[in-house]
Amino acid sequence: MDTHKRNLMSQSILMVTIFMIFINHSSSTFHGSSGVEQLETVVEEAEDHLAYPSTSDWIEELNDGMEDDEWQLVQKKGNQFVVNDQPFYVNGFNTYWLMVFAADKSTRGKVTDTFKQASSVGLTVCRTWAFNDGQWRALQKSPSVYDEEVFKGLDFVISEARKYKIRLILSLTNNWDAYGGKSQYVKWGKAAGLNLTSDDDFFSHPTLKSYYKAHVKTVLNRVNTLTNITYKDDPTVFAWELMNEPRCTSDPSGDKLQDWIQEMAVYVKRLDPKHLVEIGLEGFYGPSSPGRVQFNPNTYAQQVGTDFIRNHQVLGVDFASVHIYADSWISKSISDLHLQFTKSWMEAHIEDAEKNLGMPVVFSEFGVSSKDPGYNSSFRDTLLSTVYKTILNSTKKGGSGGGSLLWQLFPEGTDYMDDGLCNGFHHKKSFQVGDEVEVCSKQDGFHGSYYEATVIENLGDKYEVKYKNLVEEDDMSTALEEIAEVDEVRPVCPKVWPDFFPGERVDEFANDGWWAGIITRKSGDDWFVYFPSTFEHIAYPKKHIRLHLESRRNGGISRDGRVFSCEGKPLSCKKRMRIVMGESSWRSVKARLV
């Protein structure tokens, strides 16, 4: 994905469990009528759980079974993944920012929350970044120069994943500017005096390729400071990904990118012959398969220098990767065309993985943005169901459908990282008429911002609210009233102005709303705030900033453990303290010992 809420038992999370149930029930049976009948029974049972979401018993039973498995490397056998020679299916999620959060002790707990909650609903694989090039809190500050504290953050991610029996697909750089990527390598090259004209020089210039190889070597040979296991020997690593969504638009023939893939896949395999390797492609068909370009979402997909079949035929690549974003590729407006495309897109790639490549295929990113016109949770759930059932149809026949990774999963308290495709674990809140709240906007350009409002009616699964600072478009004297979803509403946080420090989460007030960001430094009387959802870095006076607190129905606490009263005065006590919130709003905030 080139950019940056649901309850614990929401359908978006429960749909993910269908695949997990199937894996455990049919790990040794693929063919014959009895296997198919068993599968159909499993799917029916899974759908029953969707209708009646009481999952504690069967999740506990399945987890108990998994705990006995020996923790060994995932390998490939023909067109399927195996562990201990038993079929293994990818049932997982993306959370790209884990290393950066783990590098800061005040947010490290979110990494644990993510793995713990994902494991509790049967997710077994996570895809995340093993890079951050030259950006804020960079892993690689300059070529072959690393921040040890950030590397220790990646150590923590891997050790926590192992603890919760979740395997990792670790991506090694980015096609996009977020977290540095190929553009940062080009900047480093230009700073070294190289004559570079395009970001695509990343794929061909010997010096830039040497920078990338040095990074790969450093990561793979890293000895985890927490487990004392070298990354390339750790079975927690499911696979290495060469690059997130590589594209080379300067060469539509695909030759330049093809050469880079061939060189780097072999290089990674030479360093680490044990682990699986994948490219990180979106799945666009190219010149080598003119008969398949009909499945591409648009004609532009043929001009980005990628070629699904040709790219995956190189030595060293073990399985295929495909992404699914109908709303980005076809149309922003939600329609049944998205579902039709998703199904045909998946079936075409599964067929090619079986007949032309002889390898598994993983749909390693998929989702739908809540910012899309016409978006609703019902469509989202239908899309998820389409993805999972299409994979199940492949696995019934012992096919190449290797699994999928939802984009993306968030634990509670990380909504400010939401790019519109957040699926998370959030406690249900209940507000009453008269309660002061903040409402999240889903409009383009405003996503992730919160606006102060008052609840004027509790509709059960929605709230009618009246905004404090927003007005009707055709009557500027009348406050805007609107219907908001339950998960779009949070309590009003206390407006406290402590002394901030780099890395602390804050909210900044602009354009009548609050925008979540991270303090990076102070300059004079201004504080610089980094906004993860937009990658902006802006300076603000202190009066425009407040401490960001996690909003929960039963309480909240600041990132660094400091606690503040409603008036913004620090509370002191020899014991650790926590803000305790009243039943429905922050107006009754007080402190108590815990």
Side-chain angles (χ1 to χ4, degrees):
M1 191 71 174
D2 61 333
T3 60
H4 280 14
K5 309 181 177 153
R6 316 293 168 228
N7 293 328
L8 175 60
M9 291 306 172
S10 70
Q11 286 191 356
S12 62
I13 296 300
L14 281 175
M15 281 304 303
V16 179
T17 64
I18 293 178
F19 209 49
M20 180 265 289
I21 297 170
F22 160 68
I23 294 164
N24 284 270
H25 279 267
S26 60
S27 61
S28 60
T29 306
F30 286 99
H31 310 290
S33 59
S34 61
V36 173
E37 291 170 1
Q38 183 183 30
L39 255 172
E40 291 171 346
T41 300
V42 169
V43 173
E44 289 172 3
E45 289 175 358
E47 291 173 339
D48 286 342
H49 282 299
L50 290 178
Y52 306 100
S54 177
T55 60
S56 58
D57 293 340
W58 52 266
I59 284 180
E60 182 178 354
E61 177 185 347
L62 293 173
N63 283 342
D64 286 344
M66 289 192 296
E67 288 171 1
D68 295 331
D69 290 344
E70 190 173 353
W71 195 239
Q72 293 190 7
L73 285 165
V74 177
Q75 298 176 320
K76 186 190 74 166
K77 186 176 183 181
N79 64 347
Q80 295 178 345
F81 298 117
V82 295
V83 175
N84 293 330
D85 208 35
Q86 295 297 312
F88 178 90
Y89 288 88
V90 175
N91 181 36
F93 62 99
N94 289 266
T95 303
Y96 66 89
W97 41 258
L98 293 174
M99 176 183 67
V100 171
F101 269 51
D104 186 333
K105 292 182 179 179
S106 63
T107 51
R108 186 172 295 172
K110 295 302 176 191
V111 176
T112 302
D113 290 346
T114 301
F115 290 140
K116 183 177 181 180
Q117 294 168 354
S119 177
S120 74
V121 293
L123 301 178
T124 56
V125 179
C126 170
R127 178 171 171 262
T128 192
W129 294 173
F131 66 87
N132 189 11
D133 311 310
Q135 306 290 297
W136 175 74
R137 200 172 283 168
L139 172 63
Q140 188 177 196
K141 297 188 290 186
S142 59
S144 297
V145 177
Y146 291 85
D147 187 322
E148 178 61 18
E149 291 306 308
V150 178
F151 234 142
K152 288 180 179 178
L154 187 54
D155 292 345
F156 181 81
V157 171
I158 296 174
S159 65
E160 287 296 280
R162 183 185 182 94
K163 176 180 176 182
Y164 289 100
K165 299 297 183 184
I166 291 178
R167 301 177 190 270
L168 301 174
I169 296 177
L170 295 176
S171 189
L172 296 165
T173 195
N174 205 355
N175 180 74
W176 312 103
D177 293 346
Y179 283 56
K182 69 180 184 183
S183 65
Q184 182 61 60
Y185 279 87
V186 170
K187 290 175 184 176
W188 286 333
K190 289 180 177 178
L194 302 181
N195 182 22
L196 304 172
T197 59
S198 165
D199 284 351
D200 285 346
D201 289 336
F202 169 85
F203 297 113
S204 57
H205 198 284
T207 300
L208 301 189
K209 289 194 291 184
S210 72
Y211 289 167
Y212 174 81
K213 286 182 176 179
H215 173 64
V216 170
K217 185 175 182 179
T218 299
V219 172
L220 270 61
N221 287 323
R222 167 79 174 183
V223 178
N224 194 311
T225 56
L226 297 172
T227 65
N228 205 34
I229 302 173
T230 305
Y231 285 10
K232 65 182 181 182
D233 295 327
D234 195 335
T236 309
V237 176
F238 177 91
W240 302 110
E241 179 177 278
L242 299 183
M243 187 179 209
N244 173 50
E245 298 186 336
R247 293 185 183 184
C248 186
T249 55
S250 63
D251 179 20
S253 75
D255 291 342
K256 183 184 290 188
L257 181 57
Q258 180 76 1
D259 290 343
W260 183 85
I261 293 170
Q262 288 179 331
E263 182 177 351
M264 298 310 169
V266 170
Y267 181 75
V268 173
K269 275 295 186 181
R270 186 180 300 125
L271 291 174
D272 178 7
K274 300 177 183 178
H275 283 99
L276 302 176
V277 172
E278 54 105 352
I279 303 169
L281 290 174
E282 296 158 281
F284 302 134
Y285 289 103
S288 75
S289 51
R292 307 300 278 175
V293 296
Q294 61 177 313
F295 293 105
N296 282 343
N298 50 54
T299 55
Y300 179 69
Q302 297 166 235
Q303 304 168 22
V304 299
T306 66
D307 193 328
F308 175 74
I309 294 178
R310 182 188 182 200
N311 293 158
H312 284 107
Q313 288 174 329
V314 306
L315 183 67
V317 173
D318 296 297
F319 65 94
S321 63
V322 179
H323 295 178
I324 314 171
Y325 290 112
D327 54 345
S328 294
W329 298 341
I330 298 176
S331 168
K332 286 288 184 185
S333 297
I334 296 299
S335 76
D336 288 342
L337 288 176
H338 291 187
L339 302 176
Q340 297 167 16
F341 166 78
T342 296
K343 192 171 186 295
S344 64
W345 180 248
M346 292 181 68
E347 289 175 345
H349 286 84
I350 290 172
E351 180 182 358
D352 287 322
E354 292 174 6
K355 295 181 178 179
N356 297 311
L357 301 175
M359 60 174 56
V361 57
V362 174
F363 298 91
S364 50
E365 286 189 23
F366 71 97
V368 58
S369 175
S370 60
K371 297 187 288 184
D372 293 337
Y375 171 87
N376 56 69
S377 60
S378 177
F379 180 86
R380 176 205 62 209
D381 295 340
T382 302
L383 177 69
L384 298 185
S385 177
T386 299
V387 171
Y388 294 125
K389 288 184 178 180
T390 303
I391 296 171
L392 283 170
N393 288 337
S394 173
T395 60
K396 287 180 184 181
K397 302 174 291 186
S400 286
S404 62
L405 299 161
L406 181 73
W407 184 281
Q408 60 179 316
L409 189 65
F410 289 75
E412 186 177 12
T414 56
D415 293 25
Y416 69 103
M417 297 292 289
D418 185 10
D419 59 358
L421 294 106
C422 165
N423 291 272
F425 301 91
H426 298 275
H427 296 295
K428 190 172 182 179
K429 299 180 286 287
S430 179
F431 300 102
Q432 305 305 317
V433 174
D435 284 344
E436 295 178 1
V437 296
E438 293 180 357
V439 183
C440 178
S441 173
K442 290 185 177 180
Q443 294 183 7
D444 285 343
F446 296 90
H447 201 272
S449 59
Y450 280 82
Y451 297 85
E452 296 176 2
T454 302
V455 175
I456 57 178
E457 188 172 357
N458 185 331
L459 302 174
D461 59 342
K462 294 181 177 64
Y463 296 105
E464 186 174 359
V465 299
K466 178 185 286 188
Y467 289 98
K468 178 180 178 181
N469 298 312
L470 302 182
V471 296
E472 295 285 356
E473 219 174 282
D474 54 354
D475 184 0
M476 303 291 285
S477 64
T478 303
L480 175 65
E481 296 182 8
E482 197 172 51
I483 302 297
E485 300 285 343
V486 168
D487 288 324
E488 295 171 358
V489 182
R490 72 180 185 186
V492 174
C493 294
K495 297 174 178 60
V496 297
W497 297 286
D499 289 329
F500 305 114
F501 64 90
E504 185 163 38
R505 289 193 300 173
V506 295
D507 295 330
E508 181 274 327
F509 192 82
N511 298 322
D512 299 318
W514 291 98
W515 304 71
I518 303 169
I519 292 289
T520 59
R521 62 187 174 91
K522 184 179 182 183
S523 178
D525 293 330
D526 290 337
W527 294 86
F528 278 83
V529 181
Y530 173 71
F531 297 94
S533 60
T534 62
F535 309 112
E536 294 178 294
H537 197 199
I538 306 174
Y540 296 100
K542 187 175 182 180
K543 66 180 181 180
H544 285 221
I545 306 172
R546 73 182 184 191
L547 189 68
H548 180 93
L549 299 178
E550 296 177 13
S551 298
R552 299 180 180 177
R553 186 172 182 272
N554 63 342
I557 186 168
S558 63
R559 289 179 66 236
D560 63 337
R562 293 183 296 164
V563 179
F564 296 85
S565 68
C566 290
E567 294 75 28
K569 298 178 181 179
L571 303 173
S572 61
C573 181
K574 293 181 180 179
K575 296 185 178 181
R576 184 169 63 86
M577 302 186 72
R578 180 174 66 184
I579 289 181
V580 178
M581 192 177 68
E583 192 66 19
S584 61
S585 86
W586 281 101
R587 290 173 297 182
S588 56
V589 170
K590 59 184 179 180
R592 67 173 172 81
L593 301 181
V594 295

